[in-house]
Amino acid sequence: MPERRVVIVGGGLVGSLAACYFAKRGWTVDLYEKRPDIRLPEHSDLVEHRSINLAISERGFSALRRLDPELEARVKEHVIPMHGRMIHALDGKQTSQAYDVFNKHINSVGRSTLIKLLLDEASSYSCVTLHFNYEFVKADFDTGRVELRDVERSEQTSVDADLVVGADGAFSRVRQRLMSKVLMNYSQTYIEHGYCEFSMDPLDGSFAMDPNHLHIWPRGSFMLIALPNLDKSFTCTLFMPWSEFAKVESDAEVTAFFRKHFPDALALMGERRVCAEYAANPKGSLMYVKCAPSTYKSRAVILGDAAHAMVPFYGQGMTCGFEDIEALDRIMVKTLHESGQANDCTANLTDDQLHKALDEYSVTRAVDTSAIVDLALENYVEMRAKVVDFAYLARKHLEGLLHRLFPQRIIPLYTMVSFTSIPYAKVVSQWNRQTTWLHQTIRAVSVAAVIGIGAISVRVLGPRLPPLRELARMVTSKI
């Protein structure tokens, strides 16, 4: 069979992992990245200050494992386990909230470290060629002609591909081109909050705080978080409404703001550093993207943020992008097997078979990615406000107890998202069923308790209380 070539636009986390997958399945891969090669010493700082730390959990590891268990093991050598959230009260009191009753954990990982590992892995395949300093210009998906520009020489070039993969981020140019070929439902929404990043150096040669937690300073409408790094520092990020950022400008205002809301963090970060970083570091915007379909015939597909950018509050952005690749690979291999071929070389798919596989991927994956985009947005409210709410903590405790007793029947939402590979849409469906069941159970128990107390009261005190039926109605109306 003639050579099958895939052009991948975007050499970040998703693009580099996609290159490995396609190479493993027999494709000739050309990956184009508009930035220089960050593995070179002179370019190593290009992503060091990229905002918001990365978290990786089971879905991400599953994608690495399917490609190569040894790659998963190498990545795990560079992560820091985070077993729960450490909640910082205004008075400095710290309270640990475990992520899972069975001690499962998420992991903090450095962005540049992970990209370098994946680029090295891609380079290890003889059929992969990495092209740096090239930006996507346009593509004719029907003919497979892709035009790119060498940003150093300002020269334009073109290549031919059987398949074009867009992994070029939230502002994807490949997606824009795809929109001209398909009837795409597309939305891009900015939330009214932004972020600013800070750093916390090691203290006396060690971590300044417990490194095995994600630290949160919840303050209702805003919050500060901190994730550990391998060099024993923390990356801290302030998430806050733009209207609040506008009130904090001078060094005096910055210092006063942190003294009022994050005094213990300020003591560890240092006033001078906080003021300097607040002034120097950009204030980033937060947005999410939904689109469908994400494919065109047998010729194009978009993955990762290009198809479903999300706010960072569930730690699922990169992980979801990795899961895109695994899901696509599974469908392509399944389609190949259904055609009668016993191998996993998806480069042997015909155009019709590849068209079928891409269509199936687009339809099934869109439901799941839409679900996690919504969950990520909802989790922001949980992190900045609900983690100190009594009702939230009571439900978390009850669900944890029930999950320990019935681990296959009752599964907390966070556990399903972070520690399983249950499709995101099914996660939401199961969570809604559990919520209904819990409310009904609590309601029934409350009514029974009131009736029991009422019956005892009538015996002891006589008929001085409202009728039991009325008491029950009063209670259930409040639940």
Side-chain angles (χ1 to χ4, degrees):
M1 191 168 181
E3 175 187 80
R4 297 279 270 177
R5 182 178 298 273
V6 57
V7 165
I8 299 175
V9 180
L13 295 160
V14 173
S16 53
L17 183 61
C20 298
Y21 261 85
F22 278 100
K24 182 177 179 179
R25 301 306 184 202
W27 293 71
T28 297
V29 182
D30 283 290
L31 183 146
Y32 291 88
E33 166 57 43
K34 66 180 179 181
R35 296 170 300 180
D37 187 348
I38 65 165
R39 296 172 298 173
L40 301 177
E42 61 267 32
H43 303 310
S44 61
D45 64 341
L46 286 176
V47 294
E48 292 297 338
H49 303 294
R50 175 79 178 273
S51 298
I52 307 176
N53 268 40
L54 295 174
I56 185 168
S57 51
E58 171 54 27
R59 295 173 195 269
F61 285 131
S62 176
L64 297 174
R65 191 183 313 128
R66 179 172 172 84
L67 176 71
D68 182 357
E70 291 186 4
L71 175 61
E72 178 195 17
R74 289 199 299 275
V75 170
K76 285 185 174 180
E77 293 174 358
H78 297 275
V79 306
I80 300 176
M82 296 185 294
H83 295 274
R85 298 164 173 164
M86 186 67 78
I87 308 302
H88 293 249
L90 197 56
D91 62 2
K93 181 182 178 182
Q94 298 181 28
T95 305
S96 175
Q97 295 181 2
Y99 283 129
D100 182 76
V101 296
F102 297 111
N103 204 34
K104 294 177 182 177
H105 56 82
I106 63 173
N107 303 273
S108 176
V109 62
R111 183 184 300 270
S112 62
T113 298
L114 189 51
I115 292 178
K116 290 173 183 177
L117 280 171
L118 293 176
L119 287 174
D120 284 343
E121 183 71 13
S123 297
S124 70
Y125 291 92
S126 61
C127 56
V128 173
T129 305
L130 305 180
H131 308 266
F132 295 97
N133 299 302
Y134 279 88
E135 65 177 1
F136 175 83
V137 177
K138 63 180 181 179
D140 183 334
F141 296 128
D142 289 304
T143 65
R145 177 60 58 92
V146 181
E147 295 187 18
L148 305 116
R149 187 175 71 89
D150 184 328
V151 296
E152 288 188 320
R153 300 184 180 87
S154 296
E155 296 176 353
Q156 199 153 308
T157 187
S158 62
V159 293
D160 293 320
D162 298 287
L163 176 64
V164 178
V165 175
D168 50 339
F171 300 99
S172 170
R173 290 188 176 184
V174 177
R175 183 185 64 228
Q176 292 174 7
R177 198 67 183 176
L178 189 62
M179 292 171 72
S180 69
K181 300 297 294 183
V182 299
L183 298 176
M184 180 184 289
N185 292 315
Y186 169 78
S187 65
Q188 174 183 297
T189 306
Y190 285 90
I191 68 172
E192 296 179 358
H193 293 240
Y195 67 89
C196 183
E197 191 171 89
F198 302 87
S199 57
M200 182 185 293
D201 283 342
L203 183 63
D204 298 327
S206 189
F207 286 100
M209 303 182 295
D210 183 344
N212 298 122
H213 281 80
L214 187 158
H215 292 260
I216 307 178
W217 290 257
R219 299 297 182 258
S221 63
F222 57 90
M223 69 176 180
L224 180 72
I225 68 170
L227 279 79
N229 300 308
L230 287 176
D231 65 0
K232 298 185 179 181
S233 68
F234 280 86
T235 298
C236 308
T237 310
L238 173 64
F239 296 96
M240 191 163 66
W242 287 114
S243 57
E244 295 299 319
F245 274 115
K247 298 175 184 177
V248 182
E249 295 183 344
S250 67
D251 286 356
E253 290 170 335
V254 172
T255 302
F257 176 81
F258 272 80
R259 282 178 180 170
K260 180 178 180 180
H261 298 292
F262 314 116
D264 57 333
L266 181 63
L268 295 172
M269 296 158 71
E271 291 185 8
R272 286 188 178 181
R273 165 163 284 184
V274 168
C275 291
E277 292 183 336
Y278 187 88
N281 292 346
K283 311 300 185 291
S285 58
L286 297 165
M287 52 89 86
Y288 57 93
V289 167
K290 293 183 179 182
C291 71
S294 58
T295 62
Y296 174 66
K297 296 182 178 179
S298 63
R299 310 298 273 175
V301 58
I302 52 176
L303 304 171
D305 285 354
H308 48 72
M310 65 191 74
V311 291
F313 305 112
Y314 230 123
Q316 290 289 303
M318 174 192 68
T319 290
C320 183
F322 283 5
E323 192 179 58
D324 286 352
I325 302 165
E326 181 179 4
L328 177 60
D329 181 68
R330 288 187 182 278
I331 291 172
M332 291 172 68
V333 170
K334 179 186 67 131
T335 302
L336 185 67
H337 291 172
E338 289 173 348
S339 73
Q341 297 195 48
N343 62 72
D344 295 341
C345 183
T346 60
N348 292 334
L349 287 167
T350 67
D351 283 346
D352 287 343
Q353 291 165 351
L354 184 55
H355 187 176
K356 176 186 175 184
L358 293 186
D359 280 353
E360 180 180 344
Y361 169 80
S362 182
V363 171
T364 57
R365 192 63 180 155
V367 180
D368 290 323
T369 56
S370 178
I372 188 57
V373 167
D374 292 339
L375 286 172
L377 188 61
E378 293 166 8
N379 207 48
Y380 184 29
V381 179
E382 178 176 313
M383 292 177 70
R384 62 182 165 85
K386 288 186 178 180
V387 289
V388 293
D389 179 73
F390 175 78
Y392 165 83
L393 294 173
R395 173 166 180 165
K396 179 179 174 65
H397 178 76
L398 176 60
E399 276 192 325
L401 176 62
L402 293 173
H403 181 48
R404 187 179 290 277
L405 295 173
F406 311 104
Q408 303 303 318
R409 299 290 298 275
I410 304 297
I411 309 176
L413 178 61
Y414 195 93
T415 295
M416 286 191 282
V417 170
S418 297
F419 306 128
T420 77
S421 293
I422 300 172
Y424 292 119
K426 289 185 178 180
V427 165
V428 173
S429 178
Q430 181 166 337
W431 168 250
N432 288 336
R433 288 196 303 271
Q434 286 180 192
T435 299
T436 300
W437 178 83
L438 281 171
H439 285 173
Q440 290 174 344
T441 301
I442 293 171
R443 190 169 182 168
V445 170
S446 299
V447 169
V450 168
I451 291 175
I453 293 170
I456 294 171
S457 299
V458 167
R459 284 195 172 203
V460 175
L461 301 175
R464 302 177 187 177
L465 295 172
L468 294 182
R469 182 179 298 176
E470 179 62 17
L471 260 178
R473 186 196 65 77
M474 293 165 59
V475 170
T476 54
S477 69
K478 301 296 184 182
I479 299 176

Short mmCIF file of all heavy atoms in Angstrom, two decimals, residues 155-191:
data_model
loop_
_atom_site.label_atom_id
_atom_site.label_comp_id
_atom_site.label_asym_id
_atom_site.label_seq_id
_atom_site.Cartn_x
_atom_site.Cartn_y
_atom_site.Cartn_z
N GLU A 155 9.53 32.68 4.48
CA GLU A 155 9.30 31.98 3.22
C GLU A 155 8.13 31.01 3.38
O GLU A 155 7.94 30.41 4.44
CB GLU A 155 10.55 31.20 2.80
CG GLU A 155 11.75 32.07 2.50
CD GLU A 155 13.00 31.26 2.18
OE1 GLU A 155 12.95 30.02 2.33
OE2 GLU A 155 14.02 31.88 1.80
N GLN A 156 7.35 30.89 2.32
CA GLN A 156 6.19 30.01 2.35
C GLN A 156 6.51 28.70 1.62
O GLN A 156 7.22 28.70 0.61
CB GLN A 156 4.98 30.69 1.71
CG GLN A 156 3.65 30.05 2.09
CD GLN A 156 2.50 31.04 2.02
OE1 GLN A 156 2.57 32.13 2.62
NE2 GLN A 156 1.45 30.69 1.30
N THR A 157 5.99 27.62 2.16
CA THR A 157 6.19 26.32 1.54
C THR A 157 4.90 25.53 1.61
O THR A 157 3.97 25.91 2.33
CB THR A 157 7.32 25.54 2.27
OG1 THR A 157 7.60 24.34 1.55
CG2 THR A 157 6.92 25.18 3.68
N SER A 158 4.81 24.44 0.87
CA SER A 158 3.61 23.62 0.88
C SER A 158 3.99 22.15 0.93
O SER A 158 5.06 21.74 0.45
CB SER A 158 2.74 23.90 -0.34
OG SER A 158 3.43 23.58 -1.54
N VAL A 159 3.11 21.37 1.57
CA VAL A 159 3.30 19.92 1.66
C VAL A 159 1.97 19.25 1.37
O VAL A 159 0.91 19.87 1.49
CB VAL A 159 3.82 19.51 3.05
CG1 VAL A 159 5.23 20.03 3.29
CG2 VAL A 159 2.88 19.99 4.15
N ASP A 160 2.03 18.00 0.99
CA ASP A 160 0.82 17.22 0.73
C ASP A 160 0.61 16.20 1.84
O ASP A 160 1.56 15.60 2.34
CB ASP A 160 0.92 16.51 -0.62
CG ASP A 160 0.94 17.48 -1.79
OD1 ASP A 160 0.19 18.46 -1.72
OD2 ASP A 160 1.73 17.25 -2.74
N ALA A 161 -0.66 16.01 2.21
CA ALA A 161 -0.98 15.09 3.30
C ALA A 161 -2.26 14.33 2.99
O ALA A 161 -3.16 14.85 2.32
CB ALA A 161 -1.13 15.85 4.61
N ASP A 162 -2.32 13.11 3.48
CA ASP A 162 -3.57 12.35 3.41
C ASP A 162 -4.52 12.76 4.52
O ASP A 162 -5.75 12.64 4.39
CB ASP A 162 -3.26 10.85 3.53
CG ASP A 162 -2.40 10.35 2.38
OD1 ASP A 162 -2.92 10.24 1.27
OD2 ASP A 162 -1.20 10.09 2.62
N LEU A 163 -3.94 13.24 5.63
CA LEU A 163 -4.74 13.66 6.79
C LEU A 163 -4.06 14.85 7.45
O LEU A 163 -2.84 14.86 7.61
CB LEU A 163 -4.85 12.50 7.80
CG LEU A 163 -5.57 12.79 9.12
CD1 LEU A 163 -7.04 13.13 8.89
CD2 LEU A 163 -5.44 11.58 10.06
N VAL A 164 -4.86 15.84 7.83
CA VAL A 164 -4.35 17.01 8.54
C VAL A 164 -4.92 16.99 9.95
O VAL A 164 -6.15 16.88 10.14
CB VAL A 164 -4.74 18.33 7.85
CG1 VAL A 164 -4.22 19.53 8.65
CG2 VAL A 164 -4.20 18.36 6.43
N VAL A 165 -4.04 17.07 10.95
CA VAL A 165 -4.46 17.09 12.35
C VAL A 165 -4.16 18.47 12.92
O VAL A 165 -3.00 18.91 12.92
CB VAL A 165 -3.72 16.00 13.16
CG1 VAL A 165 -4.07 16.11 14.65
CG2 VAL A 165 -4.06 14.62 12.64
N GLY A 166 -5.19 19.13 13.40
CA GLY A 166 -5.02 20.44 14.04
C GLY A 166 -4.91 20.28 15.54
O GLY A 166 -5.88 19.91 16.21
N ALA A 167 -3.72 20.53 16.09
CA ALA A 167 -3.50 20.51 17.53
C ALA A 167 -2.86 21.84 17.92
O ALA A 167 -1.92 21.89 18.71
CB ALA A 167 -2.60 19.34 17.92
N ASP A 168 -3.40 22.89 17.34
CA ASP A 168 -2.78 24.22 17.44
C ASP A 168 -3.50 25.15 18.41
O ASP A 168 -3.47 26.38 18.25
CB ASP A 168 -2.63 24.87 16.07
CG ASP A 168 -3.92 24.85 15.25
OD1 ASP A 168 -4.80 24.03 15.53
OD2 ASP A 168 -4.03 25.67 14.32
N GLY A 169 -4.13 24.59 19.42
CA GLY A 169 -4.60 25.39 20.54
C GLY A 169 -5.95 26.05 20.39
O GLY A 169 -6.65 25.90 19.39
N ALA A 170 -6.29 26.82 21.43
CA ALA A 170 -7.63 27.41 21.54
C ALA A 170 -7.96 28.36 20.40
O ALA A 170 -9.13 28.52 20.04
CB ALA A 170 -7.75 28.13 22.88
N PHE A 171 -6.96 29.00 19.83
CA PHE A 171 -7.19 29.94 18.73
C PHE A 171 -6.77 29.31 17.40
O PHE A 171 -6.22 29.97 16.52
CB PHE A 171 -6.44 31.25 18.99
CG PHE A 171 -6.86 31.92 20.26
CD1 PHE A 171 -6.10 31.78 21.42
CD2 PHE A 171 -8.02 32.67 20.32
CE1 PHE A 171 -6.49 32.37 22.61
CE2 PHE A 171 -8.41 33.28 21.51
CZ PHE A 171 -7.66 33.13 22.65
N SER A 172 -7.08 28.04 17.26
CA SER A 172 -6.65 27.21 16.15
C SER A 172 -6.96 27.78 14.77
O SER A 172 -8.11 28.09 14.44
CB SER A 172 -7.32 25.83 16.29
OG SER A 172 -7.12 25.06 15.14
N ARG A 173 -5.92 27.88 13.97
CA ARG A 173 -6.11 28.28 12.56
C ARG A 173 -6.66 27.12 11.73
O ARG A 173 -7.38 27.34 10.76
CB ARG A 173 -4.79 28.76 11.97
CG ARG A 173 -4.30 30.09 12.51
CD ARG A 173 -3.09 30.58 11.73
NE ARG A 173 -2.65 31.89 12.17
CZ ARG A 173 -1.66 32.56 11.61
NH1 ARG A 173 -0.98 32.03 10.58
NH2 ARG A 173 -1.32 33.76 12.05
N VAL A 174 -6.29 25.91 12.13
CA VAL A 174 -6.83 24.75 11.41
C VAL A 174 -8.34 24.68 11.61
O VAL A 174 -9.10 24.39 10.68
CB VAL A 174 -6.16 23.44 11.89
CG1 VAL A 174 -6.78 22.23 11.19
CG2 VAL A 174 -4.66 23.48 11.62
N ARG A 175 -8.79 24.97 12.83
CA ARG A 175 -10.23 24.99 13.09
C ARG A 175 -10.92 26.05 12.24
O ARG A 175 -12.01 25.82 11.69
CB ARG A 175 -10.50 25.25 14.57
CG ARG A 175 -11.99 25.22 14.94
CD ARG A 175 -12.23 25.62 16.38
NE ARG A 175 -11.85 26.99 16.65
CZ ARG A 175 -11.10 27.38 17.68
NH1 ARG A 175 -10.64 26.50 18.53
NH2 ARG A 175 -10.80 28.66 17.84
N GLN A 176 -10.30 27.21 12.13
CA GLN A 176 -10.90 28.27 11.31
C GLN A 176 -11.06 27.81 9.87
O GLN A 176 -12.08 28.08 9.22
CB GLN A 176 -10.02 29.52 11.37
CG GLN A 176 -10.00 30.19 12.74
CD GLN A 176 -9.00 31.34 12.79
OE1 GLN A 176 -8.42 31.74 11.78
NE2 GLN A 176 -8.79 31.88 13.98
N ARG A 177 -10.06 27.10 9.37
CA ARG A 177 -10.13 26.60 8.00
C ARG A 177 -11.20 25.51 7.89
O ARG A 177 -11.94 25.44 6.89
CB ARG A 177 -8.77 26.04 7.58
CG ARG A 177 -8.61 25.89 6.08
CD ARG A 177 -8.58 27.24 5.39
NE ARG A 177 -8.49 27.11 3.95
CZ ARG A 177 -8.54 28.12 3.11
NH1 ARG A 177 -8.69 29.36 3.57
NH2 ARG A 177 -8.46 27.94 1.81
N LEU A 178 -11.29 24.69 8.91
CA LEU A 178 -12.28 23.61 8.92
C LEU A 178 -13.70 24.18 8.89
O LEU A 178 -14.60 23.60 8.27
CB LEU A 178 -12.07 22.76 10.18
CG LEU A 178 -12.87 21.45 10.29
CD1 LEU A 178 -12.50 20.49 9.16
CD2 LEU A 178 -12.61 20.81 11.65
N MET A 179 -13.89 25.31 9.53
CA MET A 179 -15.22 25.94 9.58
C MET A 179 -15.73 26.34 8.20
O MET A 179 -16.93 26.48 7.99
CB MET A 179 -15.20 27.14 10.52
CG MET A 179 -15.01 26.77 11.98
SD MET A 179 -14.73 28.19 13.07
CE MET A 179 -16.35 28.92 13.09
N SER A 180 -14.80 26.52 7.27
CA SER A 180 -15.22 26.87 5.91
C SER A 180 -15.65 25.65 5.10
O SER A 180 -16.19 25.79 4.00
CB SER A 180 -14.07 27.59 5.18
OG SER A 180 -13.00 26.69 4.92
N LYS A 181 -15.42 24.45 5.66
CA LYS A 181 -15.74 23.22 4.93
C LYS A 181 -16.92 22.46 5.51
O LYS A 181 -17.53 21.62 4.83
CB LYS A 181 -14.52 22.29 4.92
CG LYS A 181 -13.29 22.88 4.25
CD LYS A 181 -13.51 23.16 2.78
CE LYS A 181 -13.71 21.91 1.98
NZ LYS A 181 -13.84 22.19 0.53
N VAL A 182 -17.23 22.68 6.79
CA VAL A 182 -18.32 21.93 7.43
C VAL A 182 -19.27 22.91 8.11
O VAL A 182 -18.90 24.05 8.42
CB VAL A 182 -17.78 20.93 8.47
CG1 VAL A 182 -16.87 19.91 7.81
CG2 VAL A 182 -17.05 21.63 9.61
N LEU A 183 -20.48 22.47 8.36
CA LEU A 183 -21.45 23.28 9.09
C LEU A 183 -21.18 23.10 10.58
O LEU A 183 -21.80 22.29 11.27
CB LEU A 183 -22.87 22.84 8.74
CG LEU A 183 -23.27 23.00 7.27
CD1 LEU A 183 -24.67 22.44 7.02
CD2 LEU A 183 -23.20 24.47 6.85
N MET A 184 -20.21 23.86 11.06
CA MET A 184 -19.74 23.69 12.44
C MET A 184 -20.52 24.57 13.41
O MET A 184 -20.65 25.78 13.21
CB MET A 184 -18.25 24.03 12.53
CG MET A 184 -17.67 23.87 13.94
SD MET A 184 -15.94 24.38 14.04
CE MET A 184 -15.13 23.05 13.14
N ASN A 185 -21.03 23.95 14.46
CA ASN A 185 -21.58 24.70 15.59
C ASN A 185 -20.40 25.07 16.49
O ASN A 185 -19.69 24.19 16.98
CB ASN A 185 -22.59 23.85 16.36
CG ASN A 185 -23.85 23.60 15.55
OD1 ASN A 185 -24.39 24.51 14.92
ND2 ASN A 185 -24.32 22.36 15.54
N TYR A 186 -20.21 26.35 16.69
CA TYR A 186 -19.01 26.82 17.37
C TYR A 186 -19.36 27.91 18.37
O TYR A 186 -20.17 28.79 18.08
CB TYR A 186 -18.01 27.36 16.35
CG TYR A 186 -16.85 28.12 16.95
CD1 TYR A 186 -15.77 27.44 17.52
CD2 TYR A 186 -16.83 29.51 16.97
CE1 TYR A 186 -14.72 28.12 18.09
CE2 TYR A 186 -15.77 30.21 17.53
CZ TYR A 186 -14.71 29.51 18.08
OH TYR A 186 -13.66 30.19 18.65
N SER A 187 -18.77 27.83 19.54
CA SER A 187 -18.94 28.91 20.53
C SER A 187 -17.63 29.13 21.26
O SER A 187 -16.88 28.20 21.54
CB SER A 187 -20.04 28.56 21.53
OG SER A 187 -19.68 27.44 22.32
N GLN A 188 -17.35 30.38 21.54
CA GLN A 188 -16.18 30.79 22.33
C GLN A 188 -16.66 31.77 23.37
O GLN A 188 -17.25 32.79 23.03
CB GLN A 188 -15.13 31.44 21.42
CG GLN A 188 -13.94 32.02 22.18
CD GLN A 188 -12.96 32.72 21.26
OE1 GLN A 188 -12.36 32.11 20.39
NE2 GLN A 188 -12.80 34.02 21.45
N THR A 189 -16.43 31.45 24.64
CA THR A 189 -16.98 32.27 25.72
C THR A 189 -15.89 32.63 26.71
O THR A 189 -15.20 31.76 27.24
CB THR A 189 -18.10 31.50 26.45
OG1 THR A 189 -19.08 31.05 25.50
CG2 THR A 189 -18.77 32.39 27.48
N TYR A 190 -15.75 33.93 26.96
CA TYR A 190 -14.85 34.40 28.00
C TYR A 190 -15.63 34.53 29.31
O TYR A 190 -16.76 35.00 29.31
CB TYR A 190 -14.26 35.77 27.63
CG TYR A 190 -13.19 35.70 26.57
CD1 TYR A 190 -13.51 35.81 25.22
CD2 TYR A 190 -11.86 35.54 26.93
CE1 TYR A 190 -12.52 35.76 24.25
CE2 TYR A 190 -10.86 35.48 25.96
CZ TYR A 190 -11.20 35.59 24.62
OH TYR A 190 -10.22 35.54 23.66
N ILE A 191 -15.02 34.11 30.41
CA ILE A 191 -15.66 34.34 31.70
C ILE A 191 -15.14 35.67 32.25
O ILE A 191 -14.11 36.19 31.79
CB ILE A 191 -15.41 33.19 32.69
CG1 ILE A 191 -13.94 33.11 33.12
CG2 ILE A 191 -15.84 31.86 32.06
CD1 ILE A 191 -13.70 32.09 34.24
#
